[in-house]
Amino acid sequence: MTKKSIRLTSMSLVLTLMMMNMFFFTEKLAAKDEMVTKSLIFQNRTKEIAGVITDNDNIPIPGANIIVEGTTTGTISDSEGKFTLTVPINSHVLVSFIGFETERFLIDEKNDYVFHLTEDSELLEEVIVTGYGTKKKVNLTGAIDVINEETFKDRPATTVSQILQGQVPGLTGFQTGQYGFEPGAVMSFNIRGQGNAYVLVDGIEKDLNQINPSDIESISVLKDAAASAIYGARAAYGVILITTKSGLKGKPKISLNAQTSAVKAIRMPRMVDSYMNVLAINEAAINGGQTQPIKDERIDRIIAFQQDRTLPETIALPNGNWEAGNADYDWFDEYFGGLGLRNQQNVQVSGGSDIANYYFSVGHTYDGGILNYGTDDYRRLNLTTKIDANLAKWWTFSANTYFDRSERENPNYDNQGGYELLMHQIARTPPYQAMKSPNGIYTIQSKIPWARDAGTEKNLGNTFTEKLATKINFTKNWKLNADISFRLENWNWESVDKTVYEDKVDGTLVVSGSTVPSGVSKNQTSKIYLSTNVYTTFDQSIKDEHNFHVMLGTQLEEAKDQMIGGSKKNLISENVPSFSTSTGEITLDDALSHWSTMGYFVRFGYDYLEKYLFEVNARTDGTSKFAEGRRWGIFPSFSLGWNLAKERFMQDAMKNINMFKLRLSWGQLGNQNVSAYQDLPLMGTNSNLSWIILGARPDYTTAPNLINPLLTWETSETSNLGLDLSALNNRLTFSGDIYQRMTRNRLGPAEAIPNVIGASLPRANNSTMRTKGWEVSLGWSNHTSYRLSYFVKVMLSDYQNEITRYNNPTKILTTDYEGKKVGEIWGYVTDGFILTQEDADEITNNGTQKQFYGGAWNVGDIRYKDLDGVAGITTGDNTVNNPGDRRVIGNSTPRYQFGLNTGLEYKNFNLAVFFQGIGKRDLALEGNMFWGFANSGQESLYKEHMDYFRDREVEIRNDIQYVGLGINTDAYFPKPYRTNALNSKNQQIQSGYIQDGSYLRLKNLQFGYTFPKKWTDNIHFSNIRIYFSGDNILTFTSKNFHSPLDPETANVGRKGDGKSYFSQAVYSIGIDLQF
Amino acid sequence: MKKIILLLAVTATIGFWSCEDYLDRPPLDRIGNDSYWSTATDFMNYTLQFYSKFPSFGGGAANYTGIFGYDAFNGSDHAITGTIPNSTLNGTNTLLATNSNWNWSNIRSINIFFENLAKTNVPLSDIKHFIGEAHFFKAWFYFEKVQTFGDVPWFTNTLQMNSEELYRPRDSRNIVVDSILFHLDKAIENLSKLSDMTSLGGSNRLSKEAALAFKSRVALFEGTWEKYHNGTAFGVPNADWNKYFRIAVEAAEELMNGNYKVGIYNKSKPAEDYAYVFSQEDFSSVNEIILWKQFSVDLGLGNQFQPFVSGFTATIGLTENLARNYLSKNGEPINYDELISTQKGKAFLIALGDAVDARLSQTIWIPGALLSDNIHNVNGQPKYFSNPALNQSGNGFNGTGFQMRKGVNPYSATAGGPTGTLGNTGGIIFRFAEVLLNYAEAKAELGEPVDYNKSLNILRRRAGMPNFNKDNVDPNRSSYADFGYTLTNELYEIRRERAVELATEGFRTMDLFRWAGHNLIKGKRPKGYPFSQTDWGTTKINIPIDESGRLDPLKKGLPSGYGFNPNRDYLDYIPINEITLNSKLEQNPGWE
């Protein structure tokens, strides 16, 4: 058993023990209930009753559900609201219908019944968590979306960010984790196309990816300025309020959930076989006038190997080394083929009494990744304790404690880069590379020793968060809230570099040079965050018509980060990597930083009969990030709401409308999210100069940064117009918003300043950006027949960012300029292939395309369109007005972001389907993952890449039947070469190779079965559900998407586009238990 | 009442924090420029940063061999890389929006030193040496710019985002060079002599000697540039090249006058003395090395030079044009054409090595030479060089048969080792031999008698060669040294001596450029040794061969020779972006 699986097993064991404990505990409780039940006398007499279901106005309700309580016996009302049902006497029936409250009626001696249902005002009365408070949904005037647990329950996702994708219109710009979808990948996203959202978990600023998704009760997304203005300083780009579950008064409720998933890479490229690979490489070399790199003798061995795979993968060279090889591997398949494992376990206990409510939870998540060589995993443990105590009738006190532990371990690779090299190196490993030498030792160039044995990097985070809050009701209308939150994060990062070896022909082992010397690096970061909120509210109603709300408050935040770290080379034993057991070069460094903000806020709200709503917020904030005198900003907002449905003329006109509300808001918010001290020229201090003096590498200093003493707040000003509608007993819901956000004093990119300035420029408040966008969501839910209910909700949103003011008088294209649509792709216009030698010679001799390559052009190279009338293809002066032969050929902004949630429940089965997609997006992909051919040794040849231009047959060696590389002048890819200089002829960013990055994905499909109550009751469970859940099951891409990769990862990768961890399909089975 | 107390308590708590100080969070781990510059150490630590800018061994194919690879990677008639033509020599560089050479951060950094020097209270005598270093580095960084771009704007002060100087035109190259020479004079004035530098780090640190050596290099460069480009777009109006030759001679003569700790390493072993000068880990006791970079694997600063000059090649191939510069052991020209018609392959290399100046066999691998005698021995036996790596690929490939050997130390632990093996071979920045060659060339350019006994003959003697003789004219000189203009025999032979002594030390590209030597490049194709298939048995070598049987590795890549454009390619282009942003910047000739 490996170390990993022992750890996994012990973790499961602990959780199982806990579950068993709880089971016994519950069993005792259940036994008590049983005694109560047994004392009741059961009567088995039944009779048939008839009835009609109506609303309070005596209008019949067809399709309502009638069930005998405690059984699965039931029926459904017909088109006139009528039903008949056989029921035991003296039992109860439960009558339910969507849009109405479920009611319980006693069946007595009568045979005919009329059941009146009351309209369910829940939807309208639904309380939404807003900034510093809650509000009834009907009274909202800001743009707020809420998703609750049902939306993402039992999704096999490891982090909350992965769950949110596609679920909220206006939650946009989702991007993969920093390496793609690596284990524990944290997706980045924004609200309405810009910036970072401010995330508060139960009112405490926290990393949403550190929390346990199954603890979440609801997520409010505050999108416009009016909704988020109360958070002023930190909320320029919206707020996400996450509310975790709490205990409710009542007997203990225990939930258990366990899930196991199999994970498989999707849209993983297929490498061509080794023979095809060498034919193509040789051709590319010959295209460029180079000598044939893979010699015939070797090709013969490659052919022989394909026919008889028991032959050696490589041969000995005279210099005592092994040749690269003649094997035949698909290295992606070798590294990432097969299944990965994920699992999750959660235990939640909650309950309460008059004195206190409690909620305890333990969650564990493990993602073992899909890498076959080396350790590449993620693990998280979450412990939560929440207690709400009632100290007096007027005084409550609550304590929330969260402990979040996450651990990421991944290959450290070969010391020349790190994890980001993993995919880069696999991608450039040719299929003929031998995996093992004939001595049975892994070759270095298989990269397996690097991935598997060269050490790992571990990042272990322990976050402890405590929030103490108190609420005092001075009078019925006057309340005071005060809370203090403290968060301590400890991050232990450790990277071990181990030396790896390969063998020579004579069996001696030689080191892989880049893995020498071995060593260990560690750093420890502690981050302390302290926040205090005090606010008081006053509510007054005059004659129940005029409702006033006033709030005053203050918030203080301070944070201090400390990192201490170092490294030491030359491990004595690689099994014991520590500073104490190393003997070599030592480095030591630290990093200290701190910041603070301080804010005062006020809110005034007024409504008349909940019909006309008005709210104004103002907040003033100071931050330590800016120089004295430029620290404070004032951020006001107001919003109006008009509940038309409450107007008499509407009530008369449209009886079926439950809510019809118009919202209008305007507000300003501030952003101070820049690195501190950009107003101070600070010296760089460094150690270990790469120069030795007197036997040591000295410390040294470097030039101070350029400064901007004028740096101050960026303000975003949002206007929002919204419409909320629900009709047909709330079966139909619609919500739509259009907005414009002006980001003024924007901390834009550095201005174009001549390079002679010799330094990178500080951030500056240098531009204005306008975001225009809209969001709609449309939902329908209904019961149609007996015990069948379904819902569907579609969400669609779009935005575009445009630079409206920026200091760039020359309109040079290196940075923003006025009128720039963010995301635009400038490039040349493809005019097909050069098809005749005469055309090629003409281009060579006239130098029309010397911009890309000054030498000879060939048939099969790209011909570019001359747009500007100036001879030849040029970049002009690289400005908007003279861009040469380039123009805007696409835009990388994801447009029309789309989500569709639908589900149905039938009897005890439920099915949920979630589609997510992007309607329009252009990608300008670069590098070998897209083009295939690259500088020698950097190629990645996949099936797709073989569709390259060939105007002559590739010479196939006689002794093998092989179909493949015939003439192909109607190719997708141009003529390939093996040097960057030559490939730059054809691999420019150009219109002909812009990829359509739109996609539609079956993001989640879930099928569950809830065991009948009578079974579960027998074993004292209140609920048992088993389910199957699948993520990323199907993906549809455009026919104009020629990358073998997933559209979400094709442009991600630190070492080039697409060199990122593959997207994965996740198939899970799980069980939910409650008792 | 309780409620009131609570309220008061909360109010008091807020009041406690509510003051502006709460928002004062000064830096905790950085020092401000204003409080820096208060001790001599501050100045020392600041100038130290620039040492890491000296060229030396590093990562990536172009740097594994450090300066020894520059002739190949920068492009010259003496070395090539693989089978791929150099884009500068081939004239295939393209005018782009950006150019990484147009980077001004070093010059800003050095100007910050001078700005703060003007303000400091530290006694200048305490920081004299560091002031000298700063002057040297300003000269060094500007010389890089002049070599690359010709005219460049001269900045005395650092620029701010609103400085008008950002939009200045370029200054004429001779004005810039005069400023460089001014700074070098200041450097010479302030830097300590090597003999006084034990506590500063000896020859790992800049010295008066290094500044003098650099001065001779800069002045000779500018003198020859202005002379040989005179009348072209690259020339300078009313150029006065003799002024620079005079400066070069004076700087060199100062170093040669016996008052400095410099010399030529000579242990009277002509077969190995020359090689020794490049292959050591510690040059501190070698007077010839005026400035060098020390490496130490233990300190995390190693290099892969030894593997890349023994078992591997970093793709470098030396050329026939270099090999033909070597005179026979008696100082006479050899009949190279006859030799290649009679001897092929390994036999040719052995015959050539036997025939000529011992520096050749210490620069180019000759079959039978000891490759490594160390832990990499196979079965305990030392390894000997047998055949150039024509059959290898990637970083092991040699395309010419002339495989670079200069700098190898077969006894070092890393010679013959696999790639990635880190060793400690020192990196040379300045050596005295160059100064002697600078002296001879500048003196001869002035038309004045050269004191060969104090200069080139010292170098010749080490290699066991007879004295310099300008009259030993090679009748076939035009086939490898035709500069396309008339030149005295003396200058021809001085240039030959420079080519031989400084072979593969990274001087050749700029030598060709300052001599306006495009005739040696344009339309020409570098050749290798006469190939012999019998050396290889059944192994097929895929390198093309020309009509006379010589390896012709660039035959496919350069069907009609290098496309060097003498009206353009001597200088790099100013990036388009910079001209767009600053309309006063003018593009270099030929790049529009």
Side-chain angles (χ1 to χ4, degrees), chain A residues 371-606:
Chain A
L371 181 67
N372 295 332
Y373 296 99
T375 306
D376 196 7
D377 61 10
Y378 171 79
R379 180 190 298 283
R380 192 183 57 238
L381 180 68
N382 297 94
L383 307 177
T384 304
T385 306
K386 290 172 78 172
I387 292 173
D388 303 299
N390 301 317
L391 303 184
K393 273 190 176 160
W394 49 270
W395 191 7
T396 63
F397 187 87
S398 68
N400 295 0
T401 308
Y402 312 84
F403 176 76
D404 310 307
R405 177 188 178 90
S406 72
E407 193 174 358
R408 173 86 177 96
E409 183 171 6
N410 56 260
N412 202 13
Y413 229 58
D414 73 339
N415 224 346
Q416 296 182 41
Y419 189 57
E420 70 222 45
L421 276 177
L422 176 70
M423 202 47 95
H424 169 69
Q425 294 287 20
I426 297 169
R428 58 181 283 253
T429 303
Y432 56 72
Q433 173 64 45
M435 182 187 287
K436 288 180 181 175
S437 76
N439 296 338
I441 307 291
Y442 282 106
T443 63
I444 289 296
Q445 284 308 319
S446 72
K447 284 88 177 182
I448 290 171
W450 287 343
R452 198 186 57 171
D453 305 324
T456 62
E457 177 184 41
K458 266 186 238 176
N459 201 9
L460 170 66
N462 290 311
T463 305
F464 170 82
T465 313
E466 179 73 34
K467 179 185 177 188
L468 297 179
T470 188
K471 190 165 145 189
I472 301 162
N473 298 343
F474 291 108
T475 68
K476 185 168 165 279
N477 296 335
W478 181 26
K479 294 168 185 163
L480 177 80
N481 291 273
D483 66 63
I484 182 161
S485 308
F486 174 80
R487 188 178 71 231
L488 171 64
E489 282 181 62
N490 250 301
W491 289 92
N492 294 294
W493 175 84
E494 179 184 299
S495 166
V496 179
D497 296 316
K498 296 183 181 176
T499 303
V500 296
Y501 302 84
E502 69 180 340
D503 66 324
K504 298 185 75 115
V505 174
D506 62 7
T508 54
L509 292 178
V510 287
V511 295
S512 166
S514 56
T515 63
V516 185
S518 59
V520 57
S521 308
K522 299 182 186 196
N523 67 48
Q524 303 241 352
T525 305
S526 87
K527 298 181 173 189
I528 295 170
Y529 170 83
L530 191 64
S531 162
T532 321
N533 286 291
V534 180
Y535 58 99
T536 181
T537 57
F538 186 78
D539 290 276
Q540 185 66 53
S541 198
I542 299 171
K543 289 192 281 178
D544 281 339
E545 289 177 6
H546 305 276
N547 303 310
F548 296 92
H549 170 79
V550 178
M551 177 172 73
L552 285 169
T554 177
Q555 182 187 24
L556 295 170
E557 285 182 294
E558 61 178 295
K560 184 166 184 176
D561 294 359
Q562 288 192 67
M563 184 281 286
I564 179 156
S567 71
K568 200 169 176 188
K569 297 289 185 196
N570 292 334
L571 305 174
I572 297 170
S573 161
E574 298 198 334
N575 296 325
V576 190
S578 73
F579 291 161
S580 313
T581 54
S582 307
T583 58
E585 179 209 354
I586 298 173
T587 67
L588 179 66
D589 56 310
D590 67 358
L592 308 168
S593 65
H594 56 175
W595 58 263
S596 57
T597 67
M598 179 186 248
Y600 301 96
F601 48 88
V602 55
R603 169 183 288 163
F604 172 77
Y606 166 77

Side-chain angles (χ1 to χ4, degrees), chain A residues 232-299:
Chain A
R234 306 288 302 282
Y237 300 108
V239 181
I240 293 179
L241 300 176
I242 295 182
T243 309
T244 63
K245 294 170 186 165
S246 295
L248 292 173
K249 195 175 151 183
K251 66 171 192 172
K253 216 178 113 184
I254 298 161
S255 310
L256 302 173
N257 165 261
Q259 187 187 69
T260 300
S261 316
V263 183
K264 188 162 179 40
I266 59 168
R267 296 186 68 97
M268 189 165 79
R270 309 298 304 179
M271 287 187 176
V272 298
D273 70 80
S274 52
Y275 182 51
M276 180 95 96
N277 179 285
V278 297
L279 289 181
I281 281 178
N282 279 349
E283 193 190 11
I286 290 160
N287 285 343
Q290 292 171 264
T291 57
Q292 178 182 330
I294 311 289
K295 310 291 186 292
D296 290 348
E297 174 271 330
R298 178 119 161 255
I299 300 178

Side-chain angles (χ1 to χ4, degrees), chain B residues 264-276:
Chain B
I264 292 299
Y265 176 88
N266 189 342
K267 293 280 181 269
S268 303
K269 290 180 181 164
E272 57 189 61
D273 283 347
Y274 178 69
Y276 182 91

Side-chain angles (χ1 to χ4, degrees), chain A residues 289 295 596 697 850 877-878, chain B residues 22 94 299 542 556 577 580:
Chain A
K295 310 291 186 292
S596 57
R697 294 172 63 182
K850 67 176 184 200
D877 57 14
N878 201 24
Chain B
Y22 186 78
T94 51
L299 293 178
N542 283 311
K556 287 183 186 160
N577 285 347
T580 298

Side-chain angles (χ1 to χ4, degrees), chain B residues 233-356:
Chain B
F234 300 106
V236 173
N238 307 314
D240 178 10
W241 44 81
N242 283 340
K243 175 178 90 178
Y244 297 109
F245 291 136
R246 177 69 56 208
I247 291 169
V249 168
E250 282 170 3
E253 281 178 336
E254 172 70 19
L255 266 187
M256 289 155 63
N257 70 9
N259 295 328
Y260 294 91
K261 195 181 160 191
V262 291
I264 292 299
Y265 176 88
N266 189 342
K267 293 280 181 269
S268 303
K269 290 180 181 164
E272 57 189 61
D273 283 347
Y274 178 69
Y276 182 91
V277 175
F278 310 100
S279 62
Q280 300 307 299
E281 296 191 356
D282 184 355
F283 289 114
S284 51
S285 58
V286 181
N287 282 354
E288 183 169 345
I289 308 304
I290 299 171
L291 180 69
W292 62 286
K293 177 172 184 172
Q294 189 178 358
F295 285 85
S296 163
V297 177
D298 290 342
L299 293 178
L301 190 63
N303 65 62
Q304 300 189 45
F305 177 60
Q306 288 299 330
F308 274 98
V309 77
S310 49
F312 295 85
T313 63
T315 75
I316 296 167
L318 306 182
T319 65
E320 183 190 280
N321 261 25
L322 172 64
R324 292 185 77 138
N325 273 294
Y326 290 82
L327 297 171
S328 70
K329 286 199 156 53
N330 59 15
E332 304 284 335
I334 64 161
N335 191 338
Y336 188 90
D337 293 311
E338 189 185 298
L339 189 63
I340 64 169
S341 64
T342 55
Q343 302 282 358
K344 304 283 180 193
K346 286 161 83 165
F348 163 80
L349 287 173
I350 293 165
L352 182 69
D354 286 344
V356 302

Side-chain angles (χ1 to χ4, degrees), chain B residues 38-51:
Chain B
S38 56
T39 67
T41 313
D42 293 345
F43 283 87
M44 178 184 77
N45 286 342
Y46 193 79
T47 50
L48 281 175
Q49 64 169 309
F50 300 113
Y51 279 92

